[in-house]
mmCIF file of all heavy atoms in Angstrom:
data_model
loop_
_atom_site.group_PDB
_atom_site.id
_atom_site.type_symbol
_atom_site.label_atom_id
_atom_site.label_comp_id
_atom_site.label_asym_id
_atom_site.label_seq_id
_atom_site.Cartn_x
_atom_site.Cartn_y
_atom_site.Cartn_z
ATOM 1 N N GLY A 114 -11.719 -7.837 -14.983
ATOM 2 C CA GLY A 114 -11.214 -7.212 -13.805
ATOM 3 C C GLY A 114 -10.039 -7.937 -13.130
ATOM 4 O O GLY A 114 -9.079 -7.275 -12.744
ATOM 5 N N MET A 115 -10.103 -9.207 -13.073
ATOM 6 C CA MET A 115 -9.013 -9.955 -12.468
ATOM 7 C C MET A 115 -7.815 -9.954 -13.287
ATOM 8 O O MET A 115 -6.632 -10.055 -12.696
ATOM 9 C CB MET A 115 -9.527 -11.386 -12.121
ATOM 10 C CG MET A 115 -10.601 -11.491 -11.027
ATOM 11 S SD MET A 115 -10.237 -10.441 -9.649
ATOM 12 C CE MET A 115 -8.742 -11.144 -8.976
ATOM 13 N N ARG A 116 -7.940 -10.025 -14.607
ATOM 14 C CA ARG A 116 -6.691 -9.847 -15.425
ATOM 15 C C ARG A 116 -6.042 -8.532 -15.151
ATOM 16 O O ARG A 116 -4.802 -8.410 -15.214
ATOM 17 C CB ARG A 116 -7.053 -10.031 -16.940
ATOM 18 C CG ARG A 116 -7.292 -11.471 -17.392
ATOM 19 C CD ARG A 116 -7.549 -11.581 -18.826
ATOM 20 N NE ARG A 116 -7.794 -12.933 -19.222
ATOM 21 C CZ ARG A 116 -6.831 -13.819 -19.600
ATOM 22 N NH1 ARG A 116 -5.624 -13.397 -19.501
ATOM 23 N NH2 ARG A 116 -7.135 -15.036 -19.921
ATOM 24 N N ALA A 117 -6.775 -7.481 -14.991
ATOM 25 C CA ALA A 117 -6.222 -6.123 -14.672
ATOM 26 C C ALA A 117 -5.459 -6.193 -13.387
ATOM 27 O O ALA A 117 -4.349 -5.650 -13.269
ATOM 28 C CB ALA A 117 -7.357 -5.134 -14.580
ATOM 29 N N ILE A 118 -6.001 -6.797 -12.363
ATOM 30 C CA ILE A 118 -5.390 -6.893 -11.100
ATOM 31 C C ILE A 118 -4.046 -7.668 -11.197
ATOM 32 O O ILE A 118 -2.992 -7.297 -10.583
ATOM 33 C CB ILE A 118 -6.249 -7.503 -9.998
ATOM 34 C CG1 ILE A 118 -7.464 -6.661 -9.783
ATOM 35 C CG2 ILE A 118 -5.546 -7.772 -8.780
ATOM 36 C CD1 ILE A 118 -7.202 -5.255 -9.260
ATOM 37 N N THR A 119 -4.076 -8.778 -11.971
ATOM 38 C CA THR A 119 -2.891 -9.597 -12.166
ATOM 39 C C THR A 119 -1.832 -8.748 -12.901
ATOM 40 O O THR A 119 -0.645 -8.805 -12.547
ATOM 41 C CB THR A 119 -3.224 -10.820 -13.046
ATOM 42 O OG1 THR A 119 -4.162 -11.613 -12.306
ATOM 43 C CG2 THR A 119 -1.965 -11.665 -13.296
ATOM 44 N N TYR A 120 -2.233 -7.935 -13.931
ATOM 45 C CA TYR A 120 -1.268 -7.074 -14.633
ATOM 46 C C TYR A 120 -0.648 -6.069 -13.634
ATOM 47 O O TYR A 120 0.574 -5.850 -13.694
ATOM 48 C CB TYR A 120 -2.065 -6.380 -15.738
ATOM 49 C CG TYR A 120 -1.207 -5.375 -16.539
ATOM 50 C CD1 TYR A 120 -0.413 -5.841 -17.588
ATOM 51 C CD2 TYR A 120 -1.205 -4.040 -16.133
ATOM 52 C CE1 TYR A 120 0.371 -4.889 -18.279
ATOM 53 C CE2 TYR A 120 -0.454 -3.105 -16.811
ATOM 54 C CZ TYR A 120 0.364 -3.589 -17.865
ATOM 55 O OH TYR A 120 1.147 -2.635 -18.606
ATOM 56 N N LEU A 121 -1.428 -5.525 -12.759
ATOM 57 C CA LEU A 121 -0.977 -4.457 -11.855
ATOM 58 C C LEU A 121 -0.036 -4.998 -10.858
ATOM 59 O O LEU A 121 0.798 -4.256 -10.164
ATOM 60 C CB LEU A 121 -2.129 -3.783 -11.169
ATOM 61 C CG LEU A 121 -3.090 -2.965 -12.137
ATOM 62 C CD1 LEU A 121 -4.280 -2.453 -11.394
ATOM 63 C CD2 LEU A 121 -2.237 -1.761 -12.657
ATOM 64 N N ALA A 122 0.048 -6.347 -10.678
ATOM 65 C CA ALA A 122 0.958 -6.913 -9.764
ATOM 66 C C ALA A 122 2.407 -6.663 -10.158
ATOM 67 O O ALA A 122 3.365 -6.620 -9.325
ATOM 68 C CB ALA A 122 0.699 -8.394 -9.570
ATOM 69 N N ASN A 123 2.632 -6.538 -11.454
ATOM 70 C CA ASN A 123 4.008 -6.377 -12.015
ATOM 71 C C ASN A 123 4.156 -5.152 -12.837
ATOM 72 O O ASN A 123 5.305 -4.864 -13.365
ATOM 73 C CB ASN A 123 4.372 -7.602 -12.819
ATOM 74 C CG ASN A 123 4.389 -8.897 -12.008
ATOM 75 O OD1 ASN A 123 5.101 -9.042 -11.031
ATOM 76 N ND2 ASN A 123 3.593 -9.871 -12.401
ATOM 77 N N ASN A 124 3.143 -4.406 -13.041
ATOM 78 C CA ASN A 124 3.212 -3.188 -13.870
ATOM 79 C C ASN A 124 2.508 -2.001 -13.207
ATOM 80 O O ASN A 124 1.581 -2.143 -12.513
ATOM 81 C CB ASN A 124 2.541 -3.480 -15.248
ATOM 82 C CG ASN A 124 3.267 -4.639 -15.962
ATOM 83 O OD1 ASN A 124 4.224 -4.419 -16.648
ATOM 84 N ND2 ASN A 124 2.654 -5.819 -15.801
ATOM 85 N N ARG A 125 2.998 -0.782 -13.499
ATOM 86 C CA ARG A 125 2.415 0.397 -12.937
ATOM 87 C C ARG A 125 2.106 1.375 -14.048
ATOM 88 O O ARG A 125 2.972 2.188 -14.443
ATOM 89 C CB ARG A 125 3.320 1.053 -11.883
ATOM 90 C CG ARG A 125 2.743 2.190 -11.189
ATOM 91 C CD ARG A 125 3.609 2.783 -10.144
ATOM 92 N NE ARG A 125 3.088 4.046 -9.639
ATOM 93 C CZ ARG A 125 2.158 4.082 -8.627
ATOM 94 N NH1 ARG A 125 1.746 2.973 -8.067
ATOM 95 N NH2 ARG A 125 1.687 5.230 -8.204
ATOM 96 N N PRO A 126 0.871 1.356 -14.670
ATOM 97 C CA PRO A 126 0.541 2.325 -15.726
ATOM 98 C C PRO A 126 0.357 3.713 -15.124
ATOM 99 O O PRO A 126 0.174 3.904 -13.904
ATOM 100 C CB PRO A 126 -0.781 1.738 -16.281
ATOM 101 C CG PRO A 126 -1.339 1.016 -15.099
ATOM 102 C CD PRO A 126 -0.217 0.433 -14.350
ATOM 103 N N ASP A 127 0.476 4.695 -16.039
ATOM 104 C CA ASP A 127 0.181 6.065 -15.583
ATOM 105 C C ASP A 127 -1.348 6.368 -15.469
ATOM 106 O O ASP A 127 -1.697 7.339 -14.801
ATOM 107 C CB ASP A 127 0.808 7.061 -16.631
ATOM 108 C CG ASP A 127 2.332 6.927 -16.743
ATOM 109 O OD1 ASP A 127 2.921 7.164 -15.610
ATOM 110 O OD2 ASP A 127 2.827 6.608 -17.715
ATOM 111 N N LEU A 128 -2.109 5.531 -16.085
ATOM 112 C CA LEU A 128 -3.575 5.765 -16.055
ATOM 113 C C LEU A 128 -4.250 4.422 -16.366
ATOM 114 O O LEU A 128 -3.853 3.637 -17.219
ATOM 115 C CB LEU A 128 -4.022 6.830 -17.160
ATOM 116 C CG LEU A 128 -5.497 7.044 -17.328
ATOM 117 C CD1 LEU A 128 -6.127 7.597 -16.108
ATOM 118 C CD2 LEU A 128 -5.742 7.984 -18.505
ATOM 119 N N ILE A 129 -5.385 4.253 -15.694
ATOM 120 C CA ILE A 129 -6.287 3.044 -15.947
ATOM 121 C C ILE A 129 -7.587 3.520 -16.460
ATOM 122 O O ILE A 129 -8.258 4.401 -15.848
ATOM 123 C CB ILE A 129 -6.479 2.182 -14.658
ATOM 124 C CG1 ILE A 129 -5.132 1.705 -14.150
ATOM 125 C CG2 ILE A 129 -7.428 0.979 -15.012
ATOM 126 C CD1 ILE A 129 -5.183 0.988 -12.812
ATOM 127 N N LEU A 130 -7.973 3.022 -17.702
ATOM 128 C CA LEU A 130 -9.358 3.364 -18.210
ATOM 129 C C LEU A 130 -10.147 2.061 -17.915
ATOM 130 O O LEU A 130 -9.877 0.965 -18.444
ATOM 131 C CB LEU A 130 -9.309 3.574 -19.710
ATOM 132 C CG LEU A 130 -8.485 4.834 -20.136
ATOM 133 C CD1 LEU A 130 -8.521 5.003 -21.604
ATOM 134 C CD2 LEU A 130 -8.997 6.064 -19.481
ATOM 135 N N LEU A 131 -11.127 2.136 -16.961
ATOM 136 C CA LEU A 131 -11.809 0.973 -16.422
ATOM 137 C C LEU A 131 -13.312 0.958 -16.767
ATOM 138 O O LEU A 131 -14.031 1.864 -16.446
ATOM 139 C CB LEU A 131 -11.642 1.054 -14.953
ATOM 140 C CG LEU A 131 -12.267 -0.054 -14.052
ATOM 141 C CD1 LEU A 131 -11.747 -1.409 -14.448
ATOM 142 C CD2 LEU A 131 -12.072 0.166 -12.548
ATOM 143 N N ASP A 132 -13.718 -0.121 -17.428
ATOM 144 C CA ASP A 132 -15.095 -0.332 -17.720
ATOM 145 C C ASP A 132 -15.886 -0.375 -16.475
ATOM 146 O O ASP A 132 -15.566 -1.037 -15.492
ATOM 147 C CB ASP A 132 -15.278 -1.601 -18.546
ATOM 148 C CG ASP A 132 -16.709 -1.763 -19.053
ATOM 149 O OD1 ASP A 132 -17.507 -0.810 -19.027
ATOM 150 O OD2 ASP A 132 -16.982 -2.887 -19.462
ATOM 151 N N TYR A 133 -16.978 0.331 -16.439
ATOM 152 C CA TYR A 133 -17.807 0.331 -15.195
ATOM 153 C C TYR A 133 -18.657 -0.962 -15.060
ATOM 154 O O TYR A 133 -18.717 -1.479 -13.969
ATOM 155 C CB TYR A 133 -18.823 1.517 -15.230
ATOM 156 C CG TYR A 133 -19.625 1.734 -13.954
ATOM 157 C CD1 TYR A 133 -18.981 2.312 -12.874
ATOM 158 C CD2 TYR A 133 -20.922 1.300 -13.883
ATOM 159 C CE1 TYR A 133 -19.747 2.536 -11.734
ATOM 160 C CE2 TYR A 133 -21.641 1.487 -12.743
ATOM 161 C CZ TYR A 133 -21.039 2.091 -11.599
ATOM 162 O OH TYR A 133 -21.725 2.253 -10.439
ATOM 163 N N GLU A 134 -19.211 -1.483 -16.171
ATOM 164 C CA GLU A 134 -20.033 -2.700 -16.142
ATOM 165 C C GLU A 134 -19.260 -3.827 -16.758
ATOM 166 O O GLU A 134 -19.065 -3.787 -17.968
ATOM 167 C CB GLU A 134 -21.375 -2.413 -16.816
ATOM 168 C CG GLU A 134 -22.238 -1.368 -16.116
ATOM 169 C CD GLU A 134 -23.531 -1.154 -16.833
ATOM 170 O OE1 GLU A 134 -23.493 -0.786 -18.001
ATOM 171 O OE2 GLU A 134 -24.575 -1.399 -16.175
ATOM 172 N N MET A 135 -18.943 -4.825 -15.885
ATOM 173 C CA MET A 135 -18.218 -6.035 -16.422
ATOM 174 C C MET A 135 -18.763 -7.182 -15.671
ATOM 175 O O MET A 135 -19.178 -7.087 -14.438
ATOM 176 C CB MET A 135 -16.686 -5.960 -16.261
ATOM 177 C CG MET A 135 -16.065 -4.982 -17.127
ATOM 178 S SD MET A 135 -14.228 -5.084 -16.978
ATOM 179 C CE MET A 135 -13.965 -4.500 -15.268
ATOM 180 N N PRO A 136 -18.810 -8.387 -16.233
ATOM 181 C CA PRO A 136 -19.304 -9.585 -15.465
ATOM 182 C C PRO A 136 -18.283 -10.002 -14.452
ATOM 183 O O PRO A 136 -17.080 -9.702 -14.529
ATOM 184 C CB PRO A 136 -19.453 -10.642 -16.626
ATOM 185 C CG PRO A 136 -18.542 -10.184 -17.652
ATOM 186 C CD PRO A 136 -18.523 -8.654 -17.658
ATOM 187 N N VAL A 137 -18.713 -10.832 -13.467
ATOM 188 C CA VAL A 137 -17.858 -11.417 -12.448
ATOM 189 C C VAL A 137 -17.348 -10.364 -11.511
ATOM 190 O O VAL A 137 -17.806 -10.191 -10.402
ATOM 191 C CB VAL A 137 -16.762 -12.305 -12.977
ATOM 192 C CG1 VAL A 137 -16.000 -13.010 -11.851
ATOM 193 C CG2 VAL A 137 -17.304 -13.293 -13.992
ATOM 194 N N THR A 138 -16.304 -9.602 -11.989
ATOM 195 C CA THR A 138 -15.671 -8.505 -11.185
ATOM 196 C C THR A 138 -15.891 -7.191 -11.942
ATOM 197 O O THR A 138 -15.233 -6.939 -12.929
ATOM 198 C CB THR A 138 -14.173 -8.761 -10.935
ATOM 199 O OG1 THR A 138 -14.008 -10.147 -10.407
ATOM 200 C CG2 THR A 138 -13.644 -7.769 -9.957
ATOM 201 N N ASP A 139 -16.817 -6.432 -11.443
ATOM 202 C CA ASP A 139 -17.151 -5.155 -12.171
ATOM 203 C C ASP A 139 -16.159 -4.062 -11.821
ATOM 204 O O ASP A 139 -15.291 -4.155 -10.989
ATOM 205 C CB ASP A 139 -18.608 -4.737 -11.946
ATOM 206 C CG ASP A 139 -18.844 -4.399 -10.468
ATOM 207 O OD1 ASP A 139 -17.916 -4.172 -9.728
ATOM 208 O OD2 ASP A 139 -20.056 -4.371 -10.079
ATOM 209 N N GLY A 140 -16.437 -2.899 -12.518
ATOM 210 C CA GLY A 140 -15.465 -1.745 -12.372
ATOM 211 C C GLY A 140 -15.361 -1.309 -10.921
ATOM 212 O O GLY A 140 -14.280 -1.063 -10.421
ATOM 213 N N PRO A 141 -16.470 -1.067 -10.199
ATOM 214 C CA PRO A 141 -16.463 -0.642 -8.822
ATOM 215 C C PRO A 141 -15.544 -1.520 -7.958
ATOM 216 O O PRO A 141 -14.826 -1.113 -7.105
ATOM 217 C CB PRO A 141 -17.911 -0.502 -8.435
ATOM 218 C CG PRO A 141 -18.654 -0.236 -9.678
ATOM 219 C CD PRO A 141 -17.910 -1.038 -10.724
ATOM 220 N N GLN A 142 -15.751 -2.836 -8.132
ATOM 221 C CA GLN A 142 -14.985 -3.880 -7.302
ATOM 222 C C GLN A 142 -13.486 -3.657 -7.665
ATOM 223 O O GLN A 142 -12.664 -3.755 -6.729
ATOM 224 C CB GLN A 142 -15.480 -5.211 -7.618
ATOM 225 C CG GLN A 142 -16.856 -5.545 -7.038
ATOM 226 C CD GLN A 142 -17.309 -6.953 -7.512
ATOM 227 O OE1 GLN A 142 -17.479 -7.244 -8.707
ATOM 228 N NE2 GLN A 142 -17.520 -7.847 -6.596
ATOM 229 N N VAL A 143 -13.183 -3.556 -8.934
ATOM 230 C CA VAL A 143 -11.765 -3.424 -9.315
ATOM 231 C C VAL A 143 -11.207 -2.126 -8.730
ATOM 232 O O VAL A 143 -10.104 -2.156 -8.234
ATOM 233 C CB VAL A 143 -11.615 -3.420 -10.845
ATOM 234 C CG1 VAL A 143 -10.155 -3.175 -11.261
ATOM 235 C CG2 VAL A 143 -12.060 -4.713 -11.429
ATOM 236 N N LEU A 144 -11.895 -1.047 -8.810
ATOM 237 C CA LEU A 144 -11.507 0.221 -8.253
ATOM 238 C C LEU A 144 -11.174 0.014 -6.767
ATOM 239 O O LEU A 144 -10.195 0.578 -6.244
ATOM 240 C CB LEU A 144 -12.504 1.308 -8.505
ATOM 241 C CG LEU A 144 -12.172 2.667 -7.912
ATOM 242 C CD1 LEU A 144 -10.857 3.221 -8.480
ATOM 243 C CD2 LEU A 144 -13.281 3.711 -8.056
ATOM 244 N N LYS A 145 -12.112 -0.627 -6.020
ATOM 245 C CA LYS A 145 -11.861 -0.814 -4.605
ATOM 246 C C LYS A 145 -10.590 -1.571 -4.288
ATOM 247 O O LYS A 145 -9.785 -1.241 -3.511
ATOM 248 C CB LYS A 145 -13.091 -1.508 -3.971
ATOM 249 C CG LYS A 145 -13.018 -1.694 -2.437
ATOM 250 C CD LYS A 145 -14.209 -2.362 -1.860
ATOM 251 C CE LYS A 145 -14.202 -2.333 -0.378
ATOM 252 N NZ LYS A 145 -12.913 -2.908 0.170
ATOM 253 N N MET A 146 -10.334 -2.654 -5.151
ATOM 254 C CA MET A 146 -9.111 -3.428 -4.976
ATOM 255 C C MET A 146 -7.873 -2.613 -5.233
ATOM 256 O O MET A 146 -6.846 -2.705 -4.515
ATOM 257 C CB MET A 146 -9.166 -4.695 -5.867
ATOM 258 C CG MET A 146 -10.140 -5.761 -5.346
ATOM 259 S SD MET A 146 -9.964 -7.295 -6.317
ATOM 260 C CE MET A 146 -10.956 -6.940 -7.741
ATOM 261 N N ILE A 147 -7.954 -1.732 -6.264
ATOM 262 C CA ILE A 147 -6.860 -0.826 -6.610
ATOM 263 C C ILE A 147 -6.552 0.134 -5.401
ATOM 264 O O ILE A 147 -5.391 0.279 -4.990
ATOM 265 C CB ILE A 147 -7.135 -0.107 -7.944
ATOM 266 C CG1 ILE A 147 -7.104 -1.095 -9.085
ATOM 267 C CG2 ILE A 147 -6.087 1.055 -8.167
ATOM 268 C CD1 ILE A 147 -7.597 -0.444 -10.376
ATOM 269 N N ARG A 148 -7.597 0.733 -4.860
ATOM 270 C CA ARG A 148 -7.457 1.669 -3.841
ATOM 271 C C ARG A 148 -7.087 1.086 -2.503
ATOM 272 O O ARG A 148 -6.410 1.700 -1.682
ATOM 273 C CB ARG A 148 -8.789 2.495 -3.634
ATOM 274 C CG ARG A 148 -9.120 3.340 -4.873
ATOM 275 C CD ARG A 148 -8.207 4.533 -5.009
ATOM 276 N NE ARG A 148 -8.644 5.352 -6.139
ATOM 277 C CZ ARG A 148 -7.935 5.468 -7.263
ATOM 278 N NH1 ARG A 148 -6.837 4.729 -7.392
ATOM 279 N NH2 ARG A 148 -8.359 6.244 -8.257
ATOM 280 N N ASP A 149 -7.399 -0.235 -2.315
ATOM 281 C CA ASP A 149 -7.085 -0.842 -1.074
ATOM 282 C C ASP A 149 -5.607 -1.364 -0.986
ATOM 283 O O ASP A 149 -5.151 -1.703 0.065
ATOM 284 C CB ASP A 149 -8.052 -1.978 -0.814
ATOM 285 C CG ASP A 149 -9.468 -1.576 -0.354
ATOM 286 O OD1 ASP A 149 -9.594 -0.377 -0.044
ATOM 287 O OD2 ASP A 149 -10.356 -2.345 -0.389
ATOM 288 N N ASP A 150 -5.012 -1.453 -2.181
ATOM 289 C CA ASP A 150 -3.693 -1.951 -2.311
ATOM 290 C C ASP A 150 -2.692 -0.789 -2.185
ATOM 291 O O ASP A 150 -2.712 0.145 -3.016
ATOM 292 C CB ASP A 150 -3.470 -2.734 -3.598
ATOM 293 C CG ASP A 150 -2.142 -3.532 -3.599
ATOM 294 O OD1 ASP A 150 -1.129 -2.979 -3.122
ATOM 295 O OD2 ASP A 150 -2.126 -4.552 -4.184
ATOM 296 N N SER A 151 -1.732 -0.803 -1.278
ATOM 297 C CA SER A 151 -0.754 0.329 -1.082
ATOM 298 C C SER A 151 0.111 0.556 -2.314
ATOM 299 O O SER A 151 0.540 1.643 -2.546
ATOM 300 C CB SER A 151 0.046 0.084 0.168
ATOM 301 O OG SER A 151 0.883 -1.129 -0.012
ATOM 302 N N SER A 152 0.295 -0.496 -3.107
ATOM 303 C CA SER A 152 1.217 -0.337 -4.239
ATOM 304 C C SER A 152 0.493 0.256 -5.464
ATOM 305 O O SER A 152 1.108 0.645 -6.481
ATOM 306 C CB SER A 152 1.776 -1.742 -4.667
ATOM 307 O OG SER A 152 0.744 -2.630 -5.076
#
């Protein structure tokens, strides 16, 4: 999840396919971070 957030800091894909169950930072947490960031 954190590698995804790092990638999104400099890239804007047209779609994200996100695993729901992941260790450390799971899919729901990543989705929240994506939605909370205006960019």
Side-chain angles (χ1 to χ4, degrees):
M115 292 315 299
R116 282 185 180 273
I118 296 300
T119 300
Y120 176 86
L121 293 172
N123 298 301
N124 300 276
R125 185 180 173 83
D127 295 300
L128 173 65
I129 300 171
L130 298 180
L131 177 62
D132 186 15
Y133 186 79
E134 295 182 300
M135 291 186 293
V137 186
T138 309
D139 62 18
Q142 289 174 297
V143 175
L144 178 62
K145 185 178 187 305
M146 286 188 279
I147 291 171
R148 294 290 182 252
D149 288 346
D150 189 326
S151 61
S152 66

